[in-house]
Structure formats: C-alpha cells, structure tokens
Amino acid sequence: MFKAMLMTIFAGAMIFGTAGAIEQPVPAAAAAAFKDVSVSHWAYKAINDAVSKGYLKGDGSGKFRPNDPVTRAEFAAILARVSTNENAGGAAAFSDLAGHWSEKEVSEAAGKGFFSPADYTNGFKPGTPLTRVEMAKWMASGLAARDGEYKQAIEDTKDTIVPVTEYYKGGLNKADYPYVSVMLGTGLMSGYPDDSFGGGKTTTRAEVAVIIQRYETTQTKAPSAFKGLNELREVGTTGTNHLSVTSYVDPPNEHTLQSILNKNTSLRNGAGKIKIHHYIFLGGTSAKQPGSIYGRMFADKETLFLDDSYLVFIDSSVSPLTDSFSLAHYSNGMTSFLQGGIRVYGQGPTKFGYKTLPNDGSKFFVKGKETRFWSYSVVPRYVTHGDSVIRDIGADDGSMGIIVLKK
C-alpha cells in the first residue's frame, strides 16, 4: 500500500516622520552623532551608511527619528537619490505638490519609473505614511524600469504561490502578488516573525535605512541572481519549483510535470480521481536549512527530512467516486509518489491557513465534492543504481509528467 510504503521510508530514516524632516541636510561627519540613534541601535550602521551617502537626512535638530514612519514624499526622495535609473523626462504632475519641499524629487522618482501620476489620481498626499505594499510596488516597478528581466519577473509571478500567511488567510490582493514576490525573492523586504507580510502596515525610517542599503545592491544585479525569485517565477509559470531547488531536470520532450497539472489522474482502486495543482520541492535537509523560499510555509521541527530524499509538497484535489471514501482509499490507490502523500505535520497548515489531511480518522472526503489540500511525499536525492532515476505520473488523458535525476 502506498501509505505503508511512504511511512516505511520515513521510519527507516529515523533508526521615516514629519513631511519636512528629511529636507534638512546633515553633514556626513555628523551621521554618527544623532541624539536618538545610539551605537547599540539595531540599525546604527545602516543609518550611518544611508546618511553618509545623502540618501537619508536628519530633522535639523540633531535627531534622526528612527521610529517615525516614512512618508510617501520621504521615500520618493530617497529612491530618487539612490536609484541609478535614467530619468525618462517630463515633469510628473501631482496636483498637491506645487511648492512642496519634495516636488522635484518626487517628480524625479516618477521619471525613474517607481510610480506615476496615474497611480495617485486623487493627489500624491506627500505626508501620508507609506504602506509596505506601496513600498513593494514602488521598488519592484523601479527595478523593472531599469531591467526588462525584472519586468518579466513581475509578469511571471502573477499566479505564483506567495509564501506569506495572507496568501491563504486573506489580506493580500492578487494584483500585489508580483510586487511582494519580487521583494521576498530578492530579499529587499521580508515577512514578519509570524510569516505575515503586513502589506497595510507602515515602515520606520530605521527600517528604510536597511532596505535602501539592499536596494542599492539589488539594482546592480539581474533577477536570475536570486534563487528565491527564481523559485517564485518557476512556480508562477510552471506550477513547480523543482528546477530551482533540486538536481532533477525535465525530459527532452513535452512530458514535464506541468503537462499533468489540473488534469484528472485516477486512483488504481477506482475509488476516486485526483488533480495536482502545484508541486513544491524542498532541496535542503532540515527545517533550519530547507533549501527553498517555501521552507517556512511547509516545514518546521516536526517535519521529517531525509538525507537521501527531497521532500515534495503536493497541492491536490480529490473527488471521491464512492460514499465510503476514506483516507485508506486515498493512500492505497496511489500509483506514484508524485500522485499524493501523507499529511503535512507541524504548524504550517494552521499558521498559513491551508488544508492538509487529518490525523484523527475524521471524515474528510465527500462523494461528488472536490476536496483540495496539501500532502507531502519524497523523491530520491541521489542515483544509487544505474545512470538515472525517473519519477513519473500519468493523467487519464494520456499525459505523462516526468522528472529525471542523472548520475
């Protein structure tokens, strides 16, 4: 039985402030002398770096105000200063910026592609604290204006799985998936300790000092330099991340895993049908080193990693064809380790809000109803016999999904 086989394998492995605050320049030599930024401040070095380069400034009274939220005007000015994008020209017309201290720099930031007047038809409202999702959109748009491949990355991640709690629980608009993905994938921004992105929250001037350091470096790199972004793009375009995190390759034909996604694959016992929607592979060997940007979403201390296997998490839907369909029908009907697996253990399902298989024997499946959930299985990490390892799964329409591991 499939479940018994899978469990045997597992068991075997175990024997920034005010609108004008930024306007007052502070000499670089005084950067380290802000009254409200001690040497022990967590962002001390980043603040000094940003101030010494003229990206951020104090309030003119010897204070930096590290805990103040950064405003739209302030962040636009910072981006105009740090960005090496060419200014496309043409003054951006914001109805409420005439005579404002930030008018010139906001116009420059718009000219460099970070945003446009069309984004703020009711006025720019320069003193408004900038939300994290706005920040993500501005920086991703700026990168895209500089490098067409970032523009493609935004396109590629429109349908990706975003590894933050809001993806399943709500709180993140689908239109924002690409911008948040570029931030997470490049490391420009990250989630909170609870794995939420907090798109509606604001960002402090101290946090911006750190983020702008990262942006300064990121704008010089191609998106392909970031493994996490590669994964998010692959999932968004193919439904899986195996090329980014494992040694498996696709066969030299049309038989990729993508070819069987969202298609019916029958259980061998005839008790039901399965549709696979996504495959997420973890290339690491522990929850601390999962080898994937999706690690925190699927693995924690309760997850059993195997030295000789990759873990593969399977997003699938089961449609029972019998009234008495049970977990046994599901597990015993498997024809492939890529068709399904066991429940996802740990806090991932609860924290991120996705379904997984029950562990108490409760009724989970209903005849005629499609039930969607995540499970996990394994595929070999190494070739131990012969020249290659092949793992495949066939759909009812004759499609075949294959991945190959070569010696």
Side-chain angles (χ1 to χ4, degrees), residues 269-272 319-326 329 363 365-368:
N269 54 21
S319 297
L321 298 177
T322 176
D323 289 324
S324 59
F325 192 94
S326 65
H329 286 98
K363 191 170 181 61
F365 301 104
V366 178
K367 181 182 178 181

Side-chain angles (χ1 to χ4, degrees), residues 41-321:
H41 192 283
W42 67 270
Y44 177 80
K45 291 184 178 180
I47 291 171
N48 281 322
D49 181 69
V51 171
S52 68
K53 292 175 179 177
Y55 299 153
L56 278 79
K57 304 173 184 179
D59 68 356
S61 70
K63 293 183 178 181
F64 182 76
R65 301 184 183 279
N67 297 322
D68 284 3
V70 68
T71 66
R72 287 177 181 169
E74 290 174 331
F75 197 61
I78 292 169
L79 290 175
R81 296 165 188 163
V82 72
S83 173
T84 56
N85 289 12
E86 289 190 13
N87 193 328
F94 292 99
S95 60
D96 55 349
L97 283 182
H100 192 272
W101 70 264
S102 69
E103 182 178 11
K104 181 179 178 180
E105 288 179 303
V106 170
S107 180
E108 183 179 354
K112 289 184 173 183
F114 291 98
F115 49 81
S116 76
D119 296 329
Y120 299 97
T121 56
N122 294 320
F124 189 69
K125 299 180 181 179
T128 301
L130 190 75
T131 66
R132 280 170 57 83
V133 76
E134 276 184 295
M135 181 177 287
K137 186 173 181 179
W138 284 17
M139 289 195 288
S141 297
L143 291 171
R146 175 186 177 83
D147 185 336
E149 192 57 31
Y150 277 105
K151 184 176 182 179
Q152 185 60 53
I154 290 174
E155 183 66 28
D156 290 346
T157 52
K158 286 183 176 180
D159 294 310
T160 196
I161 294 173
V162 189
V164 293
T165 59
E166 294 95 334
Y167 180 79
Y168 279 109
K169 290 186 172 182
L172 184 65
N173 294 325
K174 193 174 189 300
D176 297 323
Y177 287 3
Y179 308 112
V180 174
S181 292
V182 172
M183 293 301 100
L184 298 174
T186 59
L188 274 171
M189 296 174 73
S190 58
Y192 287 97
D194 65 355
D195 293 307
S196 67
F197 183 73
K201 294 181 179 180
T202 57
T203 306
T204 67
R205 286 166 51 83
E207 291 170 330
V208 165
V210 174
I211 289 171
I212 216 65
Q213 265 191 327
R214 299 170 186 164
Y215 187 88
E216 187 178 25
T217 300
T218 301
Q219 69 179 339
T220 68
K221 297 181 179 180
S224 58
F226 300 97
K227 178 184 175 185
L229 184 53
N230 292 337
E231 281 190 70
L232 291 165
R233 295 177 71 180
E234 187 184 355
V235 171
T237 55
T238 71
T240 178
N241 66 339
H242 71 283
L243 296 179
S244 298
V245 304
T246 77
S247 297
Y248 280 87
V249 298
D250 286 329
N253 51 42
E254 73 280 8
H255 298 310
T256 64
L257 289 182
Q258 186 180 7
S259 68
I260 59 90
L261 296 184
N262 302 304
K263 296 180 179 180
N264 282 320
T265 67
S266 293
L267 293 171
R268 64 182 176 183
N269 54 21
K273 296 179 181 293
I274 295 175
K275 289 180 182 177
I276 309 298
H277 306 289
H278 296 93
Y279 287 108
I280 298 297
F281 291 75
L282 299 190
T285 55
S286 70
K288 290 184 178 180
Q289 294 183 318
S292 168
I293 196 170
Y294 291 101
R296 291 173 64 89
M297 193 170 189
F298 294 107
D300 63 16
K301 62 183 181 181
E302 293 186 42
T303 307
L304 176 60
F305 282 78
L306 305 173
D307 292 337
D308 61 354
S309 301
Y310 293 115
L311 301 189
V312 51
F313 293 79
I314 305 171
D315 174 17
S316 60
S317 296
V318 168
S319 297
L321 298 177

